[in-house]
Amino acid sequence: MKTRVFSGMQPSGNLHIGNYLGALKNWVRIQSEYECIFCIVDLHAITLYQGPAELRAKIDEIAALYLAAGIDPKVCSIMVQSAVPEHAELAWMLTCVTPVGWLERMTQYKAKAARQESVGDGLLQYPVLMAADILLYQAGIVPVGEDQAQHVELTRDIAQRFNSLYGETFVVPGTSLPAVGARIMGLDDPAQKMSKSETAANHAVALLDPPDKIRKAIMRATTDSNPAVDYETAGPGVLNLLAIYQAFSGAPDAEMKARFTGLRYGELKKQVADMAIAHLEPFQERYRRIVSEPGYLAGVLRGGAERVAPLAAATVRMVKERMGLYV
Ligand code: AMP
Ligand code: TRP
C-alpha cells in the first residue's frame, strides 16, 4: 500500500509565493508517488472571525489554486474539511488526551493570541484539529512549510499518547519540508515570515497578483548595504530573494552561485521578478480557465469528499471502539 500524505491550507487571506514554494509546489511533486489528500481547512479558518460570504468564496478559490498549481484530482483527493464531519469528531477525542500545557507552548498560538483582545478556545484547540486531520487518514507524511513543523511534532506526541493509552491505533506521521523555500520571508521585512494576514504593501507576492504588481513588490524588496551579491556576507533580504529564485527554478547551489555572485541588487531583483512572473502567468491562466468552467470545482470537491469519507468513518469507528464509546 502507498504511504498516505495529508496536507491543507486555510481559506483565509490571499495565498502567496510562500504558500506555493513552501507547500503547494511540493504537493504537486509528490502527488503520483503517494496516496495524497489535499484539504481546504475551513474549520481552521474560523478560529479567527471570517465573513461568511468571503469564507465561502475563499474555499472555492483555494480549491481552484490547488488545481491551477497542478494537483490532479484524478490522482489525489481534494476536499473541504467541513464536508467530512469526522474531522471535528476525532478532534474532540484527541482534545481529551492532550494536556493544555502542550497547546499553550505552541509558537503560532502565542503569536496569534497576543494579537487578540479575547482569545477564542478554537485558537488554542487549533493544533488538535490539525492532528485530527492527519490522524483521521493515518497519513505517514505531512508536507508543509517550516512554520507548521511544530504542529506536526505535536501531532506525533498526541498520536503516541493515544496509542500508549488505548493501544496501537494511529500511524505516527513525519514532516516533509522542501529543501529550499520552507520559510519565505516578507519582502518588506526579511525578519518576518511572509504571511497571509500581513497587509503592508510590498510585503508579499500573492499568487493571483498581476505581473506589474509582482515586479513592483520584488523590485522594492529590502536588501542590505552591500552593492552586489556576496554569498558570504549577504543579509536575510538578499538570501530570501535568492531562495525565491532557487525554489521557483530548481537551480542547484553551484549554478545559483555562478549566476548571481557579484551581480548588483537591481539586476538580481529583475531576474527574480522575471522568474516569478514566468511561473505565475501560466498559473493564473490555468486558474481563470478552471473557475470559468461551470460545475467543475463543485464536482472535484464532492468527488474528493466521497473518496475519503469511508477512510474517515473507519478511523473514527476504531477510535470509538478503543475508547469504549458507543458504536
Ligand atoms: P497557511 O497560510 O497558514 O494556511 O499555510 C499553508 C501552507 O503554507 C503551510 O504548509 C505553511 O507551512 C506554508 N507556508 C505559509 N507561509 C509560508 C512561508 N512564508 N514560507 C514557506 N511556507 C509557508
Ligand atoms: N495549520 C495549517 C496551516 O495553517 C493548515 C492545516 C490544517 C494543515 N490541517 C492540516 C496542514 C493538516 C497539514 C496537515 O498551514
Side-chain angles (χ1 to χ4, degrees), residues 240-286:
N240 191 42
L241 289 169
L242 290 165
I244 292 170
Y245 185 97
Q246 187 171 20
F248 268 119
S249 66
D253 290 348
E255 193 185 313
M256 288 294 296
K257 284 202 172 148
R259 185 179 188 100
F260 288 110
T261 300
L263 209 65
R264 300 189 71 83
Y265 288 159
E267 182 57 26
L268 163 69
K269 288 173 172 179
K270 185 176 169 304
Q271 292 205 26
V272 175
D274 288 346
M275 178 59 67
I277 292 168
H279 275 78
L280 293 180
E281 265 190 330
F283 177 98
Q284 294 174 1
E285 186 49 45
R286 289 192 294 274

Side-chain angles (χ1 to χ4, degrees), residues 6-10 23 27 37-41 66 142-144 148:
F6 184 97
S7 196
M9 296 200 190
Q10 300 187 67
W27 301 359
I37 303 172
F38 297 120
C39 191
I40 297 130
V41 292
Y66 286 3
V142 184
V144 284
Q148 295 302 315

Side-chain angles (χ1 to χ4, degrees), residues 7-10 15-16 18-19 22-23 27 126 143-148 181-185 193-196:
S7 196
M9 296 200 190
Q10 300 187 67
L15 287 204
H16 51 64
N19 299 121
W27 301 359
Y126 180 109
V144 284
E146 198 179 273
D147 62 328
Q148 295 302 315
R183 189 173 176 85
I184 299 295
M185 309 310 281
K193 72 163 184 177
M194 190 176 284
S195 154
K196 289 196 288 195

Side-chain angles (χ1 to χ4, degrees), residues 5-288:
V5 165
F6 184 97
S7 196
M9 296 200 190
Q10 300 187 67
S12 59
N14 293 324
L15 287 204
H16 51 64
I17 55 173
N19 299 121
Y20 179 70
L21 300 173
L24 197 45
K25 189 166 184 279
N26 243 355
W27 301 359
V28 176
R29 190 173 54 82
I30 62 176
Q31 65 178 333
S32 45
E33 210 175 316
Y34 301 104
E35 186 191 329
C36 296
I37 303 172
F38 297 120
C39 191
I40 297 130
V41 292
D42 53 349
L43 296 172
H44 278 100
I46 59 168
T47 54
L48 295 173
Y49 177 82
Q50 308 293 326
E54 291 80 8
L55 176 59
R56 187 59 196 83
K58 269 292 163 192
I59 292 171
D60 287 342
E61 182 185 304
I62 305 288
L65 287 170
Y66 286 3
L67 293 165
I71 302 289
D72 180 354
K74 290 195 280 302
V75 195
C76 310
S77 305
I78 302 179
M79 42 96 45
V80 182
Q81 190 182 29
S82 66
V84 178
E86 284 87 352
H87 287 256
E89 194 177 4
L90 180 61
W92 175 254
M93 281 83 139
L94 298 179
T95 290
C96 296
V97 302
T98 306
V100 179
W102 290 4
L103 300 175
E104 286 168 341
R105 273 204 297 277
M106 293 291 112
T107 5
Q108 198 162 79
Y109 167 73
K110 287 193 279 191
K112 286 185 184 174
R115 280 187 254 120
Q116 307 300 313
E117 242 171 66
S118 125
V119 178
D121 189 20
L123 213 51
L124 185 64
Q125 298 301 318
Y126 180 109
V128 183
L129 178 60
M130 178 161 161
D133 296 339
I134 297 165
L135 302 181
L136 188 56
Y137 300 108
Q138 308 286 6
I141 301 173
V142 184
V144 284
E146 198 179 273
D147 62 328
Q148 295 302 315
Q150 192 185 37
H151 289 159
V152 182
E153 240 352 274
L154 180 84
T155 302
R156 294 168 58 82
D157 292 341
I158 294 174
Q160 277 158 350
R161 189 172 172 113
F162 190 99
N163 287 349
S164 72
L165 284 169
Y166 294 106
E168 281 304 309
T169 305
F170 293 121
V171 170
V172 179
T175 311
S176 161
L177 295 178
V180 182
R183 189 173 176 85
I184 299 295
M185 309 310 281
L187 295 172
D188 58 338
D189 176 7
Q192 309 283 340
K193 72 163 184 177
M194 190 176 284
S195 154
K196 289 196 288 195
S197 50
E198 177 56 62
T199 49
N202 305 323
H203 168 75
V205 168
L207 296 180
L208 295 177
D209 277 348
D212 56 332
K213 192 161 176 231
I214 297 173
R215 189 172 297 281
K216 196 166 126 195
I218 294 174
M219 294 309 291
R220 295 199 174 165
T222 303
T223 50
D224 52 42
S225 52
N226 290 347
V229 177
D230 172 358
Y231 270 86
E232 301 305 314
T233 60
V238 171
L239 293 176
N240 191 42
L241 289 169
L242 290 165
I244 292 170
Y245 185 97
Q246 187 171 20
F248 268 119
S249 66
D253 290 348
E255 193 185 313
M256 288 294 296
K257 284 202 172 148
R259 185 179 188 100
F260 288 110
T261 300
L263 209 65
R264 300 189 71 83
Y265 288 159
E267 182 57 26
L268 163 69
K269 288 173 172 179
K270 185 176 169 304
Q271 292 205 26
V272 175
D274 288 346
M275 178 59 67
I277 292 168
H279 275 78
L280 293 180
E281 265 190 330
F283 177 98
Q284 294 174 1
E285 186 49 45
R286 289 192 294 274
Y287 175 85
R288 284 190 288 271

